[in-house]
């Protein structure tokens, strides 16, 4: 057969007959197939293990920064990201500065959970912005003001306090009266978690809020920035004093315990953002380097709050 330049027909090599290859014995084929299957099975097992490991660690928060609010009565917990915890702590601090009760803080937190998932969003429906999705065009303030969590929280509370009997209303009614949302019933679904978070942020539930750094070292902190932030959010009734890398806050005798835990929870929620390395109050301590352990017994009871920053 003449060669035409295409691939030669099987069994010929440019006109010369080539013997057909002898197939391997059935046993050899079977052994080879078994080895291939075994290797494939091993790969599947390893990949499955990695997927499960990653899913478990993502779900439980091991190896990544997260904050946890403990529910001592129910035995459960509520997890949120440090950004969300920091914004929630600011909402709680502004409520405290205004002298508002825990119920008001719960309403504010549930509203922000629904409107922004406790994130300071720079976008929203039409011109809505910020934690509460307030609109400059509807008189809530300028865009710059609304993007300030302290300002937006204050404006929410201002409007909430104008609602007659808001403390006795169902949460969703109080929130809707302020927000005028297109989905008025959605606030109610956040009430349980908001109440749990409010109990910690108002200091009523000691050592209930803790944050882990996911193994990351604390970033350098600035005591001047921390004292300024604390004073702005809590008001003039909180007087932090900075010396070196430490900040102390003396507490009024009549409300020392609740106010102390209110401030301690604010500090742990802002720890990653502000470079707070250690928080000590009463007989508990939180340290960034051991943050996965949460609040630990310190063996050194303190009447006031002590913060240390990372150098």
């Amino acid at each position: 057969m003449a060669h035409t330049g295409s691939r030669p027909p099987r069994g010929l090599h440019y006109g010369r007959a080539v013997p057909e290859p002898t197939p391997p014995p059935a046993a050899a084929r079977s052994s080879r197939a078994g080895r291939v299957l075994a290797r494939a099975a091993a790969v599947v097992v390893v990949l499955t293990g990695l997927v499960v490991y990653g899913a478990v660690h993502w779900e439980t928060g091991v190896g990544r920064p997260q904050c946890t609010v403990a529910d001592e009565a129910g035995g459960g917990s509520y997890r949120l990201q440090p950004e969300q915890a920091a914004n929630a702590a600011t909402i709680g601090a502004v409520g405290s500065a205004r002298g508002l009760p825990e119920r008001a803080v719960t309403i504010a937190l549930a509203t922000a959970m629904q409107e922004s998932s406790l994130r300071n969003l720079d976008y929203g429906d039409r011109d809505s912005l910020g934690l509460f999705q307030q609109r400059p065009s509807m008189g809530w303030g300028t865009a710059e003001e609304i993007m300030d969590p302290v300002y937006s929280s204050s404006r929410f509370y201002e409007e909430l306090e104008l609602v007659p009997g808001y403390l006795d209303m169902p949460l969703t009614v109080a929130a809707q009266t302020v927000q005028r949302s297109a989905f008025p019933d959605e606030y109610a679904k956040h009430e349980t978690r908001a109440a749990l978070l409010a109990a910690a942020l108002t200091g009523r539930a000691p050592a209930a809020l803790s944050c882990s750094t996911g193994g990351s070292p604390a970033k350098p902190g600035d005591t001047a920035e921390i004292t300024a932030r604390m004073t702005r959010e809590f008001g003039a009734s909180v007087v932090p004093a900075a010396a070196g890398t430490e900040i102390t806050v003396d507490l009024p005798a009549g409300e020392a315990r609740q106010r102390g835990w209110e401030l301690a929870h604010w500090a742990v929620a802002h720890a990653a953002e502000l470079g707070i390395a250690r928080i000590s109050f009463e007989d508990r301590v939180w340290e960034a380097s051991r943050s996965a352990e949460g609040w630990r017994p310190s063996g050194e009871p303190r009447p006031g709050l002590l913060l240390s920053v990372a150098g």
Side-chain angles (χ1 to χ4, degrees):
M1 180 182 296
H3 176 58
T4 61
S6 61
R7 183 177 179 181
R10 185 172 181 176
L12 295 179
H13 184 65
Y14 296 100
R16 179 164 54 87
V18 178
E20 292 285 351
T22 303
R29 292 199 304 270
S30 176
S31 177
R32 186 180 306 148
R35 289 196 299 270
V36 171
L37 289 174
R39 285 195 294 268
V43 170
V44 169
V45 168
V46 171
L47 291 176
T48 301
L50 290 173
V51 170
V52 171
Y53 177 87
V56 169
H57 279 59
W58 178 260
E59 179 63 25
T60 59
V62 175
R64 66 187 176 95
Q66 69 163 357
C67 297
T68 304
V69 190
D71 179 4
E72 294 184 0
S77 63
Y78 162 46
R79 290 193 297 271
L80 62 168
Q81 296 176 5
E83 173 196 2
Q84 296 170 304
N87 287 327
T90 294
I91 292 171
V94 173
S96 176
R98 299 179 69 88
L100 297 176
E102 185 178 323
R103 178 64 176 173
V105 175
T106 299
I107 295 170
L109 289 171
T111 302
M113 286 175 176
Q114 171 60 29
E115 297 292 351
S116 68
S117 295
L118 290 173
R119 292 183 170 86
N120 197 27
L121 303 178
D122 61 358
Y123 62 89
D125 179 47
R126 286 170 282 192
D127 60 338
S128 298
L129 296 168
L131 290 173
F132 296 92
Q133 290 291 279
Q134 295 156 335
R135 298 178 60 192
S137 64
M138 299 301 290
W140 286 95
T142 66
E144 183 178 2
E145 287 173 330
I146 292 171
M147 287 301 296
D148 174 5
V150 176
Y151 173 89
S152 62
S153 298
S154 292
R155 284 291 291 119
F156 177 85
Y157 285 124
E158 284 175 13
E159 296 299 319
L160 182 64
E161 289 180 89
L162 295 176
V163 179
Y166 76 90
L167 291 174
D168 301 317
M169 288 180 177
L171 182 146
T172 191
V173 175
Q176 172 62 9
T177 304
V178 174
Q179 295 294 107
R180 298 179 177 86
S181 170
F183 306 97
D185 298 326
E186 293 298 301
Y187 301 108
K189 68 185 181 184
H190 302 285
E191 183 167 2
T192 299
R193 290 183 297 173
L196 193 64
L197 192 50
L201 294 175
T202 59
R204 183 172 63 81
L209 173 64
S210 183
C211 296
S212 67
T213 64
S216 302
K219 72 172 191 177
D222 183 340
T223 55
E225 179 186 7
I226 294 169
T227 55
R229 286 279 300 273
M230 185 177 287
T231 302
R232 181 172 184 248
E233 296 190 16
F234 282 99
S237 62
V238 174
V239 185
T245 60
E246 293 185 342
I247 300 169
T248 57
V249 184
D250 293 329
L251 304 169
E255 55 185 51
R257 190 165 198 259
Q258 184 160 347
R259 173 50 67 95
W261 279 113
E262 182 179 45
L263 295 170
H265 287 148
W266 178 92
V268 80
H270 287 283
E273 172 192 1
L274 297 177
I276 299 173
R278 192 174 192 272
I279 307 165
S280 180
F281 178 61
E282 287 193 324
D283 60 347
R284 300 291 189 91
V285 63
W286 175 93
E287 292 178 295
S289 61
R290 300 176 61 178
S291 59
E293 301 174 51
W295 292 98
R296 300 180 288 107
S298 66
E300 303 174 1
R302 297 190 57 85
L305 178 71
L306 175 65
L307 309 180
S308 301
V309 302

mmCIF file of all heavy atoms in Angstrom, residues 133-171:
data_model
loop_
_atom_site.group_PDB
_atom_site.id
_atom_site.type_symbol
_atom_site.label_atom_id
_atom_site.label_comp_id
_atom_site.label_asym_id
_atom_site.label_seq_id
_atom_site.Cartn_x
_atom_site.Cartn_y
_atom_site.Cartn_z
ATOM 1 N N GLN A 133 -28.883 52.192 57.593
ATOM 2 C CA GLN A 133 -29.373 52.497 56.246
ATOM 3 C C GLN A 133 -30.234 53.761 56.248
ATOM 4 O O GLN A 133 -31.361 53.793 55.746
ATOM 5 C CB GLN A 133 -30.132 51.310 55.678
ATOM 6 C CG GLN A 133 -29.238 50.120 55.337
ATOM 7 C CD GLN A 133 -28.318 50.410 54.156
ATOM 8 O OE1 GLN A 133 -28.716 50.325 52.997
ATOM 9 N NE2 GLN A 133 -27.062 50.759 54.434
ATOM 10 N N GLN A 134 -29.661 54.809 56.834
ATOM 11 C CA GLN A 134 -30.349 56.097 56.891
ATOM 12 C C GLN A 134 -30.097 56.869 55.596
ATOM 13 O O GLN A 134 -29.041 56.733 54.980
ATOM 14 C CB GLN A 134 -29.850 56.883 58.119
ATOM 15 C CG GLN A 134 -30.220 56.200 59.424
ATOM 16 C CD GLN A 134 -29.309 56.569 60.582
ATOM 17 O OE1 GLN A 134 -28.159 56.961 60.380
ATOM 18 N NE2 GLN A 134 -29.800 56.431 61.813
ATOM 19 N N ARG A 135 -31.054 57.689 55.203
ATOM 20 C CA ARG A 135 -30.991 58.368 53.911
ATOM 21 C C ARG A 135 -30.767 59.869 54.066
ATOM 22 O O ARG A 135 -31.564 60.560 54.722
ATOM 23 C CB ARG A 135 -32.286 58.116 53.132
ATOM 24 C CG ARG A 135 -32.554 56.662 52.811
ATOM 25 C CD ARG A 135 -33.866 56.490 52.075
ATOM 26 N NE ARG A 135 -33.865 57.233 50.822
ATOM 27 C CZ ARG A 135 -34.960 57.450 50.083
ATOM 28 N NH1 ARG A 135 -36.129 56.965 50.480
ATOM 29 N NH2 ARG A 135 -34.873 58.128 48.962
ATOM 30 N N PRO A 136 -29.710 60.398 53.464
ATOM 31 C CA PRO A 136 -29.505 61.852 53.506
ATOM 32 C C PRO A 136 -30.707 62.623 52.962
ATOM 33 O O PRO A 136 -31.061 63.686 53.496
ATOM 34 C CB PRO A 136 -28.263 62.055 52.620
ATOM 35 C CG PRO A 136 -27.531 60.759 52.708
ATOM 36 C CD PRO A 136 -28.603 59.707 52.792
ATOM 37 N N SER A 137 -31.327 62.089 51.928
ATOM 38 C CA SER A 137 -32.451 62.792 51.308
ATOM 39 C C SER A 137 -33.690 62.841 52.199
ATOM 40 O O SER A 137 -34.613 63.614 51.942
ATOM 41 C CB SER A 137 -32.822 62.123 49.980
ATOM 42 O OG SER A 137 -33.287 60.798 50.203
ATOM 43 N N MET A 138 -33.701 62.037 53.265
ATOM 44 C CA MET A 138 -34.846 62.015 54.171
ATOM 45 C C MET A 138 -34.532 62.707 55.499
ATOM 46 O O MET A 138 -35.241 62.545 56.487
ATOM 47 C CB MET A 138 -35.277 60.568 54.432
ATOM 48 C CG MET A 138 -35.716 59.825 53.192
ATOM 49 S SD MET A 138 -37.125 60.611 52.344
ATOM 50 C CE MET A 138 -38.436 60.293 53.524
ATOM 51 N N GLY A 139 -33.449 63.484 55.506
ATOM 52 C CA GLY A 139 -33.161 64.316 56.661
ATOM 53 C C GLY A 139 -32.389 63.666 57.780
ATOM 54 O O GLY A 139 -32.319 64.219 58.890
ATOM 55 N N TRP A 140 -31.752 62.517 57.510
ATOM 56 C CA TRP A 140 -31.006 61.842 58.572
ATOM 57 C C TRP A 140 -29.621 62.448 58.789
ATOM 58 O O TRP A 140 -28.955 62.150 59.780
ATOM 59 C CB TRP A 140 -30.864 60.356 58.240
ATOM 60 C CG TRP A 140 -32.136 59.582 58.432
ATOM 61 C CD1 TRP A 140 -33.069 59.275 57.482
ATOM 62 C CD2 TRP A 140 -32.619 59.024 59.663
ATOM 63 N NE1 TRP A 140 -34.097 58.554 58.033
ATOM 64 C CE2 TRP A 140 -33.859 58.385 59.373
ATOM 65 C CE3 TRP A 140 -32.141 59.000 60.971
ATOM 66 C CZ2 TRP A 140 -34.610 57.740 60.346
ATOM 67 C CZ3 TRP A 140 -32.894 58.356 61.949
ATOM 68 C CH2 TRP A 140 -34.116 57.735 61.635
ATOM 69 N N GLY A 141 -29.159 63.269 57.874
ATOM 70 C CA GLY A 141 -27.836 63.874 57.973
ATOM 71 C C GLY A 141 -27.127 63.768 56.645
ATOM 72 O O GLY A 141 -27.664 63.233 55.665
ATOM 73 N N THR A 142 -25.910 64.277 56.594
ATOM 74 C CA THR A 142 -25.122 64.164 55.366
ATOM 75 C C THR A 142 -24.604 62.735 55.240
ATOM 76 O O THR A 142 -24.576 61.966 56.214
ATOM 77 C CB THR A 142 -23.924 65.122 55.387
ATOM 78 O OG1 THR A 142 -23.017 64.717 56.431
ATOM 79 C CG2 THR A 142 -24.375 66.561 55.650
ATOM 80 N N ALA A 143 -24.157 62.383 54.039
ATOM 81 C CA ALA A 143 -23.602 61.043 53.833
ATOM 82 C C ALA A 143 -22.404 60.802 54.747
ATOM 83 O O ALA A 143 -22.244 59.722 55.327
ATOM 84 C CB ALA A 143 -23.195 60.872 52.366
ATOM 85 N N GLU A 144 -21.561 61.807 54.900
ATOM 86 C CA GLU A 144 -20.387 61.673 55.770
ATOM 87 C C GLU A 144 -20.807 61.439 57.215
ATOM 88 O O GLU A 144 -20.223 60.606 57.924
ATOM 89 C CB GLU A 144 -19.521 62.922 55.674
ATOM 90 C CG GLU A 144 -18.244 62.845 56.486
ATOM 91 C CD GLU A 144 -17.379 64.086 56.336
ATOM 92 O OE1 GLU A 144 -17.790 65.023 55.623
ATOM 93 O OE2 GLU A 144 -16.292 64.121 56.945
ATOM 94 N N GLU A 145 -21.807 62.154 57.672
ATOM 95 C CA GLU A 145 -22.284 61.983 59.050
ATOM 96 C C GLU A 145 -22.870 60.592 59.262
ATOM 97 O O GLU A 145 -22.572 59.923 60.265
ATOM 98 C CB GLU A 145 -23.326 63.043 59.373
ATOM 99 C CG GLU A 145 -22.754 64.432 59.553
ATOM 100 C CD GLU A 145 -23.831 65.493 59.710
ATOM 101 O OE1 GLU A 145 -24.942 65.317 59.142
ATOM 102 O OE2 GLU A 145 -23.566 66.509 60.374
ATOM 103 N N ILE A 146 -23.681 60.146 58.331
ATOM 104 C CA ILE A 146 -24.335 58.845 58.472
ATOM 105 C C ILE A 146 -23.325 57.709 58.469
ATOM 106 O O ILE A 146 -23.537 56.681 59.122
ATOM 107 C CB ILE A 146 -25.383 58.657 57.347
ATOM 108 C CG1 ILE A 146 -26.546 59.639 57.566
ATOM 109 C CG2 ILE A 146 -25.896 57.223 57.289
ATOM 110 C CD1 ILE A 146 -27.528 59.704 56.418
ATOM 111 N N MET A 147 -22.208 57.878 57.774
ATOM 112 C CA MET A 147 -21.184 56.842 57.751
ATOM 113 C C MET A 147 -20.357 56.798 59.035
ATOM 114 O O MET A 147 -19.502 55.935 59.203
ATOM 115 C CB MET A 147 -20.268 57.031 56.543
ATOM 116 C CG MET A 147 -20.914 56.669 55.208
ATOM 117 S SD MET A 147 -21.466 54.937 55.151
ATOM 118 C CE MET A 147 -19.904 54.071 55.289
ATOM 119 N N ASP A 148 -20.606 57.715 59.947
ATOM 120 C CA ASP A 148 -19.973 57.700 61.268
ATOM 121 C C ASP A 148 -20.880 56.899 62.205
ATOM 122 O O ASP A 148 -21.996 57.337 62.515
ATOM 123 C CB ASP A 148 -19.817 59.137 61.775
ATOM 124 C CG ASP A 148 -19.302 59.203 63.204
ATOM 125 O OD1 ASP A 148 -18.970 58.143 63.788
ATOM 126 O OD2 ASP A 148 -19.248 60.321 63.755
ATOM 127 N N PRO A 149 -20.453 55.717 62.682
ATOM 128 C CA PRO A 149 -21.310 54.883 63.523
ATOM 129 C C PRO A 149 -21.809 55.572 64.790
ATOM 130 O O PRO A 149 -22.920 55.300 65.247
ATOM 131 C CB PRO A 149 -20.419 53.681 63.859
ATOM 132 C CG PRO A 149 -19.475 53.588 62.711
ATOM 133 C CD PRO A 149 -19.183 55.015 62.351
ATOM 134 N N VAL A 150 -21.009 56.473 65.361
ATOM 135 C CA VAL A 150 -21.448 57.188 66.561
ATOM 136 C C VAL A 150 -22.600 58.123 66.211
ATOM 137 O O VAL A 150 -23.624 58.167 66.907
ATOM 138 C CB VAL A 150 -20.276 57.965 67.197
ATOM 139 C CG1 VAL A 150 -20.764 58.790 68.388
ATOM 140 C CG2 VAL A 150 -19.183 57.002 67.642
ATOM 141 N N TYR A 151 -22.455 58.863 65.129
ATOM 142 C CA TYR A 151 -23.520 59.779 64.702
ATOM 143 C C TYR A 151 -24.788 59.009 64.338
ATOM 144 O O TYR A 151 -25.887 59.366 64.789
ATOM 145 C CB TYR A 151 -23.062 60.617 63.505
ATOM 146 C CG TYR A 151 -24.169 61.459 62.912
ATOM 147 C CD1 TYR A 151 -24.414 62.741 63.379
ATOM 148 C CD2 TYR A 151 -24.986 60.950 61.904
ATOM 149 C CE1 TYR A 151 -25.457 63.505 62.855
ATOM 150 C CE2 TYR A 151 -26.031 61.707 61.374
ATOM 151 C CZ TYR A 151 -26.261 62.983 61.853
ATOM 152 O OH TYR A 151 -27.301 63.724 61.337
ATOM 153 N N SER A 152 -24.649 57.964 63.503
ATOM 154 C CA SER A 152 -25.847 57.245 63.042
ATOM 155 C C SER A 152 -26.563 56.567 64.199
ATOM 156 O O SER A 152 -27.798 56.517 64.226
ATOM 157 C CB SER A 152 -25.477 56.221 61.963
ATOM 158 O OG SER A 152 -24.599 55.235 62.471
ATOM 159 N N SER A 153 -25.804 56.063 65.179
ATOM 160 C CA SER A 153 -26.441 55.449 66.354
ATOM 161 C C SER A 153 -27.192 56.503 67.158
ATOM 162 O O SER A 153 -28.320 56.271 67.619
ATOM 163 C CB SER A 153 -25.388 54.775 67.232
ATOM 164 O OG SER A 153 -24.734 53.730 66.540
ATOM 165 N N SER A 154 -26.570 57.683 67.343
ATOM 166 C CA SER A 154 -27.222 58.771 68.077
ATOM 167 C C SER A 154 -28.520 59.193 67.389
ATOM 168 O O SER A 154 -29.546 59.412 68.052
ATOM 169 C CB SER A 154 -26.286 59.977 68.189
ATOM 170 O OG SER A 154 -25.193 59.690 69.022
ATOM 171 N N ARG A 155 -28.489 59.287 66.069
ATOM 172 C CA ARG A 155 -29.700 59.691 65.335
ATOM 173 C C ARG A 155 -30.798 58.647 65.467
ATOM 174 O O ARG A 155 -31.975 58.991 65.600
ATOM 175 C CB ARG A 155 -29.351 59.918 63.861
ATOM 176 C CG ARG A 155 -28.626 61.203 63.596
ATOM 177 C CD ARG A 155 -29.530 62.443 63.807
ATOM 178 N NE ARG A 155 -30.571 62.514 62.778
ATOM 179 C CZ ARG A 155 -31.880 62.473 63.016
ATOM 180 N NH1 ARG A 155 -32.345 62.325 64.241
ATOM 181 N NH2 ARG A 155 -32.744 62.571 62.013
ATOM 182 N N PHE A 156 -30.431 57.378 65.460
ATOM 183 C CA PHE A 156 -31.451 56.349 65.640
ATOM 184 C C PHE A 156 -32.097 56.484 67.018
ATOM 185 O O PHE A 156 -33.319 56.457 67.143
ATOM 186 C CB PHE A 156 -30.862 54.948 65.480
ATOM 187 C CG PHE A 156 -31.877 53.865 65.726
ATOM 188 C CD1 PHE A 156 -32.724 53.445 64.710
ATOM 189 C CD2 PHE A 156 -32.024 53.288 66.983
ATOM 190 C CE1 PHE A 156 -33.694 52.468 64.938
ATOM 191 C CE2 PHE A 156 -32.980 52.313 67.220
ATOM 192 C CZ PHE A 156 -33.813 51.906 66.200
ATOM 193 N N TYR A 157 -31.262 56.627 68.049
ATOM 194 C CA TYR A 157 -31.805 56.739 69.402
ATOM 195 C C TYR A 157 -32.653 58.007 69.556
ATOM 196 O O TYR A 157 -33.675 58.004 70.269
ATOM 197 C CB TYR A 157 -30.673 56.752 70.423
ATOM 198 C CG TYR A 157 -30.027 55.407 70.668
ATOM 199 C CD1 TYR A 157 -28.649 55.241 70.504
ATOM 200 C CD2 TYR A 157 -30.771 54.301 71.075
ATOM 201 C CE1 TYR A 157 -28.037 54.019 70.737
ATOM 202 C CE2 TYR A 157 -30.172 53.070 71.312
ATOM 203 C CZ TYR A 157 -28.802 52.933 71.145
ATOM 204 O OH TYR A 157 -28.210 51.708 71.381
ATOM 205 N N GLU A 158 -32.231 59.085 68.926
ATOM 206 C CA GLU A 158 -33.011 60.326 68.987
ATOM 207 C C GLU A 158 -34.436 60.096 68.500
ATOM 208 O O GLU A 158 -35.414 60.511 69.139
ATOM 209 C CB GLU A 158 -32.357 61.407 68.134
ATOM 210 C CG GLU A 158 -31.128 62.050 68.731
ATOM 211 C CD GLU A 158 -30.488 63.023 67.754
ATOM 212 O OE1 GLU A 158 -31.134 63.370 66.742
ATOM 213 O OE2 GLU A 158 -29.333 63.441 68.008
ATOM 214 N N GLU A 159 -34.556 59.413 67.361
ATOM 215 C CA GLU A 159 -35.878 59.146 66.804
ATOM 216 C C GLU A 159 -36.647 58.117 67.642
ATOM 217 O O GLU A 159 -37.864 58.213 67.799
ATOM 218 C CB GLU A 159 -35.748 58.667 65.358
ATOM 219 C CG GLU A 159 -35.170 59.701 64.402
ATOM 220 C CD GLU A 159 -36.037 60.953 64.321
ATOM 221 O OE1 GLU A 159 -37.289 60.816 64.299
ATOM 222 O OE2 GLU A 159 -35.482 62.064 64.288
ATOM 223 N N LEU A 160 -35.926 57.138 68.170
ATOM 224 C CA LEU A 160 -36.581 56.118 68.990
ATOM 225 C C LEU A 160 -37.174 56.737 70.248
ATOM 226 O O LEU A 160 -38.296 56.388 70.660
ATOM 227 C CB LEU A 160 -35.570 55.032 69.368
ATOM 228 C CG LEU A 160 -36.109 53.858 70.196
ATOM 229 C CD1 LEU A 160 -37.152 53.069 69.401
ATOM 230 C CD2 LEU A 160 -34.958 52.940 70.635
ATOM 231 N N GLU A 161 -36.468 57.662 70.875
ATOM 232 C CA GLU A 161 -36.951 58.294 72.101
ATOM 233 C C GLU A 161 -38.192 59.152 71.863
ATOM 234 O O GLU A 161 -38.918 59.478 72.823
ATOM 235 C CB GLU A 161 -35.838 59.138 72.720
ATOM 236 C CG GLU A 161 -34.709 58.316 73.322
ATOM 237 C CD GLU A 161 -33.628 59.192 73.926
ATOM 238 O OE1 GLU A 161 -33.766 59.529 75.120
ATOM 239 O OE2 GLU A 161 -32.670 59.543 73.205
ATOM 240 N N LEU A 162 -38.430 59.523 70.617
ATOM 241 C CA LEU A 162 -39.635 60.301 70.289
ATOM 242 C C LEU A 162 -40.872 59.431 70.138
ATOM 243 O O LEU A 162 -41.985 59.957 70.032
ATOM 244 C CB LEU A 162 -39.409 61.094 68.996
ATOM 245 C CG LEU A 162 -38.325 62.182 69.041
ATOM 246 C CD1 LEU A 162 -38.145 62.811 67.662
ATOM 247 C CD2 LEU A 162 -38.680 63.247 70.081
ATOM 248 N N VAL A 163 -40.698 58.115 70.132
ATOM 249 C CA VAL A 163 -41.822 57.189 69.973
ATOM 250 C C VAL A 163 -42.466 56.959 71.339
ATOM 251 O O VAL A 163 -41.826 56.376 72.227
ATOM 252 C CB VAL A 163 -41.359 55.851 69.375
ATOM 253 C CG1 VAL A 163 -42.542 54.894 69.239
ATOM 254 C CG2 VAL A 163 -40.686 56.070 68.023
ATOM 255 N N PRO A 164 -43.689 57.387 71.548
ATOM 256 C CA PRO A 164 -44.325 57.219 72.856
ATOM 257 C C PRO A 164 -44.454 55.738 73.236
ATOM 258 O O PRO A 164 -44.935 54.926 72.452
ATOM 259 C CB PRO A 164 -45.713 57.849 72.662
ATOM 260 C CG PRO A 164 -45.549 58.770 71.499
ATOM 261 C CD PRO A 164 -44.552 58.100 70.602
ATOM 262 N N GLY A 165 -43.991 55.397 74.437
ATOM 263 C CA GLY A 165 -44.142 54.032 74.934
ATOM 264 C C GLY A 165 -43.328 52.990 74.200
ATOM 265 O O GLY A 165 -43.665 51.806 74.225
ATOM 266 N N TYR A 166 -42.202 53.397 73.585
ATOM 267 C CA TYR A 166 -41.445 52.441 72.757
ATOM 268 C C TYR A 166 -40.891 51.273 73.569
ATOM 269 O O TYR A 166 -40.714 50.171 73.045
ATOM 270 C CB TYR A 166 -40.321 53.150 72.005
ATOM 271 C CG TYR A 166 -39.122 53.518 72.842
ATOM 272 C CD1 TYR A 166 -38.052 52.628 72.992
ATOM 273 C CD2 TYR A 166 -39.041 54.754 73.488
ATOM 274 C CE1 TYR A 166 -36.950 52.962 73.754
ATOM 275 C CE2 TYR A 166 -37.939 55.080 74.250
ATOM 276 C CZ TYR A 166 -36.898 54.187 74.382
ATOM 277 O OH TYR A 166 -35.807 54.521 75.153
ATOM 278 N N LEU A 167 -40.628 51.496 74.856
ATOM 279 C CA LEU A 167 -40.070 50.420 75.678
ATOM 280 C C LEU A 167 -41.066 49.288 75.909
ATOM 281 O O LEU A 167 -40.673 48.155 76.192
ATOM 282 C CB LEU A 167 -39.601 50.972 77.025
ATOM 283 C CG LEU A 167 -38.379 51.899 76.981
ATOM 284 C CD1 LEU A 167 -38.117 52.495 78.355
ATOM 285 C CD2 LEU A 167 -37.143 51.148 76.482
ATOM 286 N N ASP A 168 -42.331 49.585 75.802
ATOM 287 C CA ASP A 168 -43.373 48.580 76.038
ATOM 288 C C ASP A 168 -43.941 47.995 74.749
ATOM 289 O O ASP A 168 -44.801 47.124 74.788
ATOM 290 C CB ASP A 168 -44.508 49.191 76.866
ATOM 291 C CG ASP A 168 -44.026 49.707 78.213
ATOM 292 O OD1 ASP A 168 -43.235 48.990 78.854
ATOM 293 O OD2 ASP A 168 -44.427 50.823 78.613
ATOM 294 N N MET A 169 -43.481 48.485 73.625
ATOM 295 C CA MET A 169 -43.968 47.999 72.333
ATOM 296 C C MET A 169 -43.271 46.701 71.938
ATOM 297 O O MET A 169 -42.151 46.441 72.370
ATOM 298 C CB MET A 169 -43.660 49.020 71.230
ATOM 299 C CG MET A 169 -44.456 50.270 71.244
ATOM 300 S SD MET A 169 -43.921 51.322 69.854
ATOM 301 C CE MET A 169 -45.066 52.680 70.042
ATOM 302 N N PRO A 170 -43.898 45.900 71.073
ATOM 303 C CA PRO A 170 -43.136 44.827 70.420
ATOM 304 C C PRO A 170 -41.951 45.445 69.679
ATOM 305 O O PRO A 170 -42.065 46.533 69.106
ATOM 306 C CB PRO A 170 -44.153 44.223 69.448
ATOM 307 C CG PRO A 170 -45.477 44.557 70.023
ATOM 308 C CD PRO A 170 -45.316 45.901 70.669
ATOM 309 N N LEU A 171 -40.842 44.770 69.696
ATOM 310 C CA LEU A 171 -39.627 45.323 69.102
ATOM 311 C C LEU A 171 -39.841 45.750 67.661
ATOM 312 O O LEU A 171 -39.400 46.821 67.244
ATOM 313 C CB LEU A 171 -38.491 44.305 69.197
ATOM 314 C CG LEU A 171 -37.129 44.755 68.652
ATOM 315 C CD1 LEU A 171 -35.998 44.160 69.473
ATOM 316 C CD2 LEU A 171 -36.955 44.346 67.183
#
